[in-house]
Amino acid sequence: MTESEMEAGGERFLRQRQVLFFFVFLGGSLAGSESRRYSVAEEKERGFLITNLAKDLGLSVGELTVRGAQVVSKGNKQHFQLNLQTGDLLLHEKLDREELCGPTEPCILHFQILLQNPLQFIPNELQVVDVNDHSPVFFENEMQLKILESTPPATIIPLGHAEDLDVGRNSLQNYTITPNSHFHVLTNSRRDGRKYPELVLDQALDREEQPELSLTLMALDGGTPPRSGTVQVHILVLDINDNAPEFTQSLYEVQILENSPINSVIVTVSASDLDTGNFGTISYSFFHASEEIRKTFQLNPITGDIQIVKYLNFETIKSYEVDVEAKDGGGLSGKSTVIVQVVDVNDNPPELTLSSITSPIPENSLETVVAVFSVSDLDSGDNGRMVCSIENNLPFILKPSVENFYTLVSEEALDRETRSEYNITVTVTDLGTPRLKTEHNITVLVSDVNDNAPAFTLTSYTLFVRENNSPALHIGSVSATDRDAGANAQVTYSLLPPQDPQLPLASLVSINADNGQLFALRALDYEALRVLEFGVGAVDRGSPALSSQALVRVLVLDANDNSPFVLYPLQNGSAACTELVPRAAEPGYLVSKVVAVDGDSGQNAWLSYQLLKATEPGLFSVWAHNGEVRTARLLSERDAAKHRLLVLVKDNGEPPLSASVTLHVLLVDGFSQPYLPLPEAAADAAQADPLTVYLVIALASVSSLFLFSVLAFIAVRLCKRGRSASLGGCSVPEGHFPGHLVDVSGSGTLSQSYQYEVCLTGDPGTGEFKFLKPIFPNLLVQDTEREMKDNPNCRNSFVFS
């Protein structure tokens, strides 16, 4: 194969690598292996063996071929080639370290080994080792120096420096000068590490004895063997001119943007000379400037203005060190240094290189690698930092990999019915000012699968139906749609089994399987079932079939179909219960309370109370909201003792329903007054069941016997205590018991917890007894309360002791 054919094949190979596409399977690994560093000396011939990648990666040669191993370098220039038959990594061309890296040390070339199936990046580095292939070179063939004969020893005279393109030990190390009867040379270092010579006068000069001197300046590097460069230095000994020009600054530092226009003045240097006449006239010039500096800058010899005559490029040269000489008419000179720092501007847009793309992809695939690409920017700092992004409304994400490589991955399952094609714009933006960006479009097609379940229009449906509805009433509908087509979009509706197995859902509602209409199969009762919750399902006819569910909440609306029901007083046809009211009761005294409920809800259950009829109007009143019956005024002796009140209880429904209840009220002078039943009550009692009468008589007898025993026990105890006292009988307060103590609670009912101790007086002829003090508050009342509990009609009446 001829050399031209080999070069043509290499170019085709490079083009193929630049447009390479490969498919990445789901689950492929993107993790890179541990980075390795190799080294090779510069100037090695093409085909030089760097390493055997198959051994380094632990893979066989066959595996390298199957996984499509390839070497990817930054930029379009390929320095390496991979022999897939042997696994050897070879040099594609001869490497020149100075051309690749310039003064940068170490010189590192970054490259990646790209493997497929699964996808894997393996970052690697190649260090190009410098060889001593350059000798130090002076910029001038001859140096001319003029030194006053009056120059004192130890005076330092600057000399032009040499340049060595090698680095490290192979770079320029020191200077020597021969012969050296009057001078020796010092080797100093600049900020950037470059060495420069300075001539030091050891012995005073005498122009009359030796007007000229010729010396040889030699620059040596540190290579093995060392290389050197020489220049002739001719020294002219001048007659006395005792004032040399002096710069106002020994060092000028200036920063200039790399996009500054040509002929821009970047700095003005200035020097002065104390001499007069021709010896005080100063001219400026570059001092031993390199060719690059002379092509880039121009110095005005009269004004000292330094201008740029060529566009600057930060990416090529970041700084310049320019030596400026000011020379007077007598040949004396002064030297100053100008440091020019080139400031980077954002003048390079980012670059995107696409390595692979996968299209189409199934819509139900997750985290599928769609594309692999790399980005780069020639700028530095913030101008070279990049942000890679895509539109936010796309189901794809960018994942950074190694060395500015990115993978475009599907973040979630796609939906072909929503979107069958995606045009993804990858935007690479740097962080410079102004920001530059590069856009690249990637088209991804989506293949269809059956992945859409029926979707209800609502997740929860609320339906309303008024109670007492007619059977088979259409109460509402549910609706679900399927975004698929054909059989996959045909939906069938059904009722889901209720969570409560006791709920007879199938007998309450039904659903049309084709259109989702819901029907109430029987009349509903709000008081029995207020809310009916159940689930409905929608299933498509795809394979496999997909389904969804929704919640249906049927609210039964109340109708005013329940009249108020009176809980107290009971209206069961038995003997009516009579409420006792003392005649000393104040206005507002609570006589009783009508308690009623309504089976309906809302305003249908709002109850109001009204006094329809009373034996004596104006004596009693009923509170409309709580049913409390109270006295409206003070009672008098002229008021009848027996009263009959008819109270109406009405709800707030439409139309309103009502119920009525009758209360019997008996006015008494005091709680010691025996209770006489009303004639109506006696008549009702006479008509009661004879068995009930016998039970009442038996209970009354037992209670009387118990009461008598207790009274006798109390009397005996009091008399015994009285005998032991100094007086012969019980001392009791005289006078009648005050009537205002009859009602002790103030709430309309009398306290049942007070009994009073009695004892006989010393005069047995009177036969009177008096109340002394409460004792045994609950002793006598227990049997009385027990008797009341046995009689449900009088359970809420008063008890007197």
Side-chain angles (χ1 to χ4, degrees), residues 14 19 32 47 51 132 135-136 206 221 225 304-305 377 521 562 564 587 625 707:
L14 289 177
V19 297
T51 185
N132 193 18
S135 298
D206 187 355
D221 65 16
D305 293 338
D377 195 312
L521 299 180
N562 289 281
H625 299 297
L707 180 61

Side-chain angles (χ1 to χ4, degrees), residues 24 27-36 57 67 112-123 369 372 399-403 405 407:
V24 181
S29 170
L30 294 181
S33 300
E34 182 180 359
S35 176
R36 292 181 174 85
L57 298 178
R67 297 187 64 179
Q112 293 81 31
I113 305 301
L114 183 61
L115 301 177
Q116 307 176 23
N117 303 320
L119 177 64
Q120 187 175 9
F121 290 95
I122 305 173
V369 177
V372 179
K399 290 187 177 181
S401 184
V402 295
E403 291 293 332
F405 274 86
T407 55

Side-chain angles (χ1 to χ4, degrees), residues 182-313:
H182 289 83
F183 302 90
H184 75 271
V185 69
L186 293 177
T187 302
N188 295 323
S189 297
R190 297 182 184 272
R191 293 184 179 182
D192 56 2
R194 290 185 297 173
K195 303 290 193 303
Y196 67 93
E198 288 183 332
L199 190 64
V200 180
L201 180 63
D202 294 330
Q203 184 179 346
L205 300 175
D206 187 355
R207 181 179 176 278
E208 288 70 25
E209 180 181 357
Q210 192 175 6
E212 292 184 3
L213 296 173
S214 182
L215 305 175
T216 300
L217 178 64
M218 178 181 293
L220 295 172
D221 65 16
T224 304
R227 290 173 175 264
S228 64
T230 61
V231 66
Q232 293 297 316
V233 180
H234 292 283
I235 301 176
L236 178 63
V237 182
L238 300 178
D239 222 354
I240 259 187
N241 177 18
D242 55 353
N243 288 292
E246 293 184 2
F247 282 91
T248 57
Q249 294 179 227
S250 61
L251 179 66
Y252 293 84
E253 292 186 85
V254 61
Q255 293 182 341
I256 181 170
L257 297 177
E258 63 174 324
N259 61 348
S260 298
I262 293 178
N263 296 325
S264 297
V265 176
I266 61 173
V267 68
T268 299
V269 295
S270 177
S272 60
D273 195 315
L274 298 178
D275 295 324
T276 60
N278 187 42
F279 289 147
T281 302
I282 298 175
S283 63
Y284 302 94
S285 63
F286 290 126
F287 182 77
H288 300 296
S290 65
E291 183 178 358
E292 179 65 29
I293 291 178
R294 295 183 182 277
K295 289 181 179 179
T296 308
F297 303 99
Q298 176 180 292
L299 174 61
N300 190 311
I302 299 175
T303 63
D305 293 338
I306 298 179
Q307 298 173 298
I308 56 175
V309 293
K310 187 181 77 170
Y311 288 110
L312 304 178
N313 189 349

Side-chain angles (χ1 to χ4, degrees), residues 750-773:
L750 298 179
S751 174
Q752 301 176 1
S753 61
Y754 289 90
Q755 308 297 327
Y756 293 91
E757 180 181 23
V758 297
C759 75
L760 300 176
T761 63
D763 186 4
T766 61
E768 297 179 350
F769 66 93
K770 298 180 181 179
F771 297 90
L772 295 179
K773 60 181 178 180

